[in-house]
Structure formats: structure tokens, C-alpha cells
Amino acid sequence: MSGLTYEEKKGLITRNLQEVLGEDKLDAILRERDLKIYWGTATTGRPHVAYFVPMSKIADFLKAGCEVTILFADLHAYLDNMKAPWSLLELRAQYYEAVIKQMLSSIGVPLDRLKFVKGTDYQLSREYSLDVYKLSSVVTQHDARKAGAEVVKQVEYPLLSGLLYPGLQALDEEYLKVDAQFGGVDQRKIFTFAEKSLPQLGYEKRIHLMNPMVPGLAGGKMSSSEEDSKIDLLDTPADVKKKLKKAFCEPGNVKDNGLLSFVQHVLFSLFKEGEGFVVCRAPENGGDKTFNNYQDLEEEFASNKLHPADLKATVEKYINQLLDPIRKAFESSQLKQLSSAAYPIAKKEQDGPDRLDIRVGKVVQVSRHPDAEKLYILQIDLGEDEVRTIISGLVAYVSAEKLDQCLVAVLCNLKPSKMRGILSEGMVLCTSNADHTIVEPLIVPSSAAAGTRLAFQGYNGQPEEQLNPKKKTWEKLFVDFKTNDDGIAVWKNNFLLTPDGEKLTSRLKNCCIK
């Protein structure tokens, strides 16, 4: 936007940010010319309403005259634990481009001033590949792992792809020829890694602009994998109402309130001069009221003068206003086909075994339950920050000495439950004969590392965060989970495998597993 002063441009660029790294460089560039910024997003799950947070900042950058590049990081999506299958990379990138263009249009951002780039357009080039090798010669495993700690899932023995991720994101800054990278504060370790690593290759250090993390509707981070925590951009008005009804919005509590955060970081940044957040309510509840700044709204809610139901109803109105143009655009047959192709509904049994989160665990401590003589208390390393406590009824079948330091297969996404007063956070999978006189844990290949996810041959869906006890998913599935004639663990003749293709076995043949 021409005619803005340096101070006005900087104010637009930095408002609502949590942190800026390299502010001196930002000042120096703005006094000479407009800033070049890029924002990248890995093309994994469907974008949701939280994407309006970076979109509203991109609107600010454009108002400030910045040159903005949006990177659809398709290769990064594959490297992050193959969240986007290779066969769908191109389609997911097309979907992201289509939906994000519609989002920007819905908030009045002119698309002709934006550049859209796909990661694989340049990340597979000879020059980029050589820089990846150069970077790998100066970056330690420790530094790469630390850099990705907030972004890439951490396990004791990480895949090489997860270690590459931060380095590739750092190199993107050079190959996109930008002054600054914009992202969430959860990217901070990658940003500081880039500041340290790029100069080692002879490239300049960039500026980093960080948004705060906006809570999801249930509190905590809004995630594509948690259905109730996010509103999809193509959700119907009925879906929006249903999800907002469940949203965390305790009277007077402004902490971790996803509704208030959305109003602060999205709606107030989009209001034009003279506009405000308009709450419509019955006269007996205070009547209609307009809030011209966020602080007044927060104070009103904190003092219990604004009821959660009125806040939810108003946010629902504004979200639907944002989503209506996107929904209408995706009524076209072309975009409908793209959506279905990029996110195909898997041909699945209603309760397929890929809904189970089965991982390799290492028993690091065994003790007897103080109030139940037939139960062990097992401390099991699952490649997480802390060991899990799991209660197991193996006392009569396996000695504590044999269990100690043993590798076991653990069902990790059962709802935790108390067993004689102690919370159990999973189940060790065991085989047993017909009369249950022999019970023993499945035999896990010695090469498997704690935290390794196990999967059934032919099934590649994402496990549920937590199995719903009311749906009895596990109870339905274990009927077909057993050992075959060779003592190999199978579900309907599909082998249970490590990522290296090794099978889990048992001495017991044709026996159930549970």
C-alpha cells in the first residue's frame, strides 16, 4: 500500500505477533524498501478455520506493501511421518492452493499481489539437493532433532526424514529469496536453527516473524487430527453450530479460550475502520452491544457481563460469514472432484485395525500392585518424554525378571482407566491359549525401537487419538486378532509388522491376542 510511513508499515507487519527475531534488520530494510516474506504450510490434513490467523497476518503484510510468497510444502508433508502419501502430494497441493485462495478472497486479500510456490518445484533440483548434502555435513543429529522438537513427532529412534525437515525449511528461505519467514511460535526452534545454519553455507540470516498459537475449540492446539478441536472450511452451518456448542468457554475464563483468541487474532484484524464486534442479544440480557477493540470484549467476558452463549452465537455468525464464499466456491464440480481426490474416503471396514495405535514399548520397571496380588505395575518406555504406567495381569504367567527390559507390543490409545486405584494408560498385547493357562506377551523383533509404530499389512490409515469406549472398537476388532498356524500375529490374515516389515510372533499358534 503506497503512501504509508515506515512506522505505519512496521506497525502492520508486527501487530498481533508474539515475537520478532531480527528486528534491527527489519528496521534497516523497511527504511530502504518493502519487505519480502514467505509463509509455508505442509499440505497434510485439510485446512481449518485456524488458518484464518496466518491469512489475516498475510493481509497485514500486503497492506504494508510487502512481497508475499505462500509455499505449499508438499515434500515436507511427506517427510513428516508420511502424513501425505506420495501418490497424493500433487492433489493435496492443488487442494491447498484452491482453498487458501478462497480464504484470502473471503477476507478481501487481492491474489494478484501474491506468489504461490510448490515445494517440489525447486526442492528436487540439483542445486537444492547439493545444499541439503552440504547442510548435513555441518549439522549434528542432536541439533536437527532439537530444531524439529515442536513440529516433528519425537521418538527415541527418529526416522531420517524427520531430521531432514528443519534443514529443508531453513534452505527454503534462501531458495525463495526472501528477507523474512513468517510462522507460528511453535516454529521457533526451526527459525533459530536456520539463523545458525544458513551462514555456515555462506547464506545470510533471515528475519523471523512469529504468530502466537491460537487455542482450539476444546482448549489446547487446534489440530486437523482432532475433529472436535477445529472447524473445517467446508463445514455446514449446522456443523459449525454443533462444534461451537461443544467449545470450551467457561464463564469469566479467558485462558485457553479458542473463541476469544479467534476474535482477537482474526476478526479484529479484519474489521475496517469504524467496524466492531457486534453482539446481538435480547434486551433482558443487556441488549445489542458493539465492541470496538478486543480488550473491552475480553474485560466484559472476564467480568461475567458477556455470557458464553452470546459469545458463541456471535462467533458463529462471523465464522459463517467467512465460510460462505468458500462453501459456494466448492459447490463447483471441479473443486468437489479435487476435494474428493485429495482426501479420498478410504474403503474401510467401519472398525479397521488401522484405528489402533499399537507401538513397541520397553519395560523399564516392574513392581507388584500394592492392592492386587495378580497385577503388575509396569513402567514402559514408548519413545515419549515420560514413561507410561500400565497395569497388567501377568503375575501368574510371567516372572518379573523375564518382563524387565523386555520389548512388548502396547495398545496405546485405549481410554486410561484406574485398576485398583492406579491409572493404567494402555495394554500389553498378549496371546493366550483356550483355557487361559498360558498367557504371554507377543514377541517383538529385537531390532525394533521403543516408540516404533506397528501397522497391519494393507492398512495405512491414521490411528485414532483415543478409542471411544462407547463404540467398543477394540472389542469388535480383537475377535479377528490372533496368531495363525505359524504363530504369527495377524488380523484377518494381515500381518502385524514393524516399519522394516518384520513380523510379531508367539509360541502359541491359533490363539487370540488381547
Side-chain angles (χ1 to χ4, degrees):
M1 183 181 293
S2 61
L4 293 181
T5 64
Y6 150 77
E7 289 80 8
E8 288 171 332
K9 289 182 179 182
K10 184 178 179 182
L12 281 168
I13 290 169
T14 58
R15 72 171 179 172
N16 285 333
L17 294 180
Q18 181 164 325
E19 188 175 4
V20 176
L21 298 177
E23 190 166 357
D24 290 345
K25 186 171 184 177
L26 172 64
D27 290 337
I29 292 173
L30 279 180
R31 291 185 189 279
E32 293 184 5
R33 60 172 173 81
D34 290 324
L35 202 65
K36 297 177 182 178
I37 302 175
Y38 105 82
W39 173 75
T41 180
T43 51
T44 52
R46 291 175 184 269
H48 44 74
V49 291
Y51 276 63
F52 276 111
V53 177
M55 294 303 107
S56 61
K57 274 310 302 175
I58 288 170
D60 282 344
F61 298 150
L62 290 169
K63 289 175 189 173
C66 300
E67 295 180 28
V68 180
T69 298
I70 292 181
L71 171 66
F72 298 112
D74 48 355
L75 189 55
H76 289 70
Y78 180 78
L79 291 174
D80 189 3
N81 204 27
M82 296 182 287
K83 287 181 180 176
W86 196 266
S87 60
L88 292 179
L89 285 189
E90 174 64 28
L91 291 166
R92 293 272 171 94
Q94 289 178 29
Y95 178 84
Y96 263 66
E97 181 168 352
V99 82
I100 284 176
K101 283 181 175 178
Q102 293 300 327
M103 289 181 74
L104 291 167
S105 295
S106 80
I107 60 174
V109 176
L111 301 181
D112 56 348
R113 296 167 57 200
L114 283 167
K115 183 192 296 183
F116 296 92
V117 178
K118 193 169 60 176
T120 46
D121 289 342
Y122 64 91
Q123 290 166 349
L124 301 177
S125 69
R126 180 178 185 275
E127 294 76 16
Y128 191 93
S129 297
L130 286 174
D131 272 343
V132 172
Y133 288 124
K134 289 177 186 176
L135 196 61
S136 69
S137 70
V138 296
V139 173
T140 66
Q141 176 188 358
H142 172 269
D143 286 350
R145 189 171 181 179
K146 180 181 176 183
E150 302 296 325
V151 179
V152 180
K153 189 171 179 63
Q154 299 296 291
V155 294
E156 184 177 0
Y157 298 102
L159 293 174
L160 183 58
S161 59
L163 298 178
L164 288 173
Y165 193 111
L168 269 61
Q169 187 167 335
L171 286 172
D172 289 339
E173 296 179 349
E174 174 64 25
Y175 279 78
L176 292 172
K177 301 301 178 187
V178 295
D179 305 308
Q181 183 179 174
F182 163 60
V185 74
D186 60 333
Q187 304 271 325
R188 192 182 196 282
K189 290 180 180 177
I190 290 182
F191 292 163
T192 56
F193 170 86
E195 291 185 357
K196 175 184 176 182
S197 303
L198 285 185
Q200 292 179 278
L201 300 187
Y203 299 138
E204 63 178 290
K205 183 167 69 173
R206 265 64 179 192
I207 301 159
H208 293 102
L209 310 168
M210 284 169 274
N211 250 353
M213 297 307 295
V214 175
L217 299 177
K221 183 178 178 181
M222 194 176 290
S223 168
S224 294
S225 61
E226 295 182 34
E227 191 61 31
D228 285 341
S229 82
K230 53 96 177 183
I231 292 172
D232 190 271
L233 297 172
L234 301 181
D235 274 349
T236 65
D239 293 329
V240 174
K241 182 181 287 293
K242 179 180 177 182
K243 289 179 180 180
L244 287 178
K245 189 175 181 180
K246 295 180 181 178
F248 173 78
C249 194
E250 186 179 35
N253 187 349
V254 300
K255 184 178 175 58
D256 286 334
N257 188 318
L259 297 173
L260 286 174
S261 293
F262 187 82
V263 174
Q264 178 185 9
H265 293 287
V266 176
L267 298 182
F268 270 100
S269 68
L270 298 177
F271 289 147
K272 296 179 175 64
E273 188 174 348
E275 291 182 342
F277 185 74
V278 181
V279 175
C280 298
R281 56 190 174 183
E284 59 269 24
N285 293 329
D288 298 350
K289 185 167 183 177
T290 299
F291 296 90
N292 292 312
N293 63 74
Y294 172 74
Q295 195 57 45
D296 289 346
L297 173 67
E298 184 178 286
E299 289 174 4
E300 187 98 347
F301 187 82
S303 60
N304 289 310
K305 295 177 182 176
L306 176 61
H307 193 275
D310 293 321
L311 176 63
K312 287 184 177 184
T314 308
V315 172
E316 178 187 342
K317 173 188 69 176
Y318 282 107
I319 285 179
N320 280 320
Q321 287 176 3
L322 291 172
L323 297 187
D324 276 343
I326 303 172
R327 294 175 186 134
K328 288 175 182 173
F330 272 78
E331 288 175 0
S332 75
S333 58
Q334 184 179 359
L335 290 180
K336 273 185 180 178
Q337 289 172 6
L338 175 59
S339 178
S340 299
Y343 295 94
I345 298 173
K347 294 178 181 177
K348 63 176 183 178
E349 290 135 289
Q350 187 61 32
D351 292 311
D354 44 0
R355 297 176 69 180
L356 305 177
D357 182 3
I358 303 176
R359 288 183 249 161
V360 175
K362 183 176 182 180
V363 180
V364 295
Q365 184 178 325
V366 184
S367 59
R368 298 287 284 271
H369 195 299
D371 298 318
E373 60 180 20
K374 294 183 179 181
L375 298 178
Y376 282 130
I377 301 174
L378 305 178
Q379 301 296 325
I380 298 182
D381 175 12
L382 286 162
E384 301 168 322
D385 292 337
E386 298 179 358
V387 297
R388 284 203 198 189
T389 299
I390 293 179
I391 310 300
S392 178
L394 285 171
V395 169
Y397 307 103
V398 185
S399 69
E401 291 75 19
K402 189 171 181 180
L403 276 175
D404 191 33
Q405 305 304 309
C406 177
L407 290 178
V408 291
V410 179
L411 179 58
C412 297
N413 59 342
L414 289 173
K415 184 177 180 179
S417 62
K418 283 192 175 182
M419 299 183 70
R420 290 294 188 92
I422 296 178
L423 192 68
S424 181
E425 302 173 288
M427 180 170 69
V428 175
L429 295 176
C430 299
T431 51
S432 62
N433 59 0
D435 56 7
H436 301 290
T437 56
I438 303 175
V439 179
E440 57 187 39
L442 280 174
I443 299 169
V444 178
S446 59
S447 60
T452 300
R453 179 161 282 151
L454 305 172
F456 289 91
Q457 183 182 39
Y459 290 86
N460 57 8
Q462 287 294 311
E464 292 186 11
E465 190 75 20
Q466 185 179 99
L467 298 175
N468 186 339
K470 293 182 180 179
K471 294 183 179 179
K472 299 190 179 299
T473 303
W474 167 241
E475 288 81 355
K476 296 172 185 174
L477 288 171
F478 89 79
V479 174
D480 296 300
F481 192 16
K482 56 189 67 177
T483 55
N484 63 12
D485 293 339
D486 299 314
I488 299 170
V490 295
W491 188 84
K492 291 187 176 180
N493 296 319
N494 298 283
F495 298 123
L496 181 59
L497 303 171
T498 69
D500 294 329
E502 296 181 282
K503 301 167 185 173
L504 275 71
T505 60
S506 172
R507 293 186 305 117
L508 304 177
K509 301 176 182 179
N510 297 311
C511 290
C512 67
I513 299 172
K514 63 178 292 188

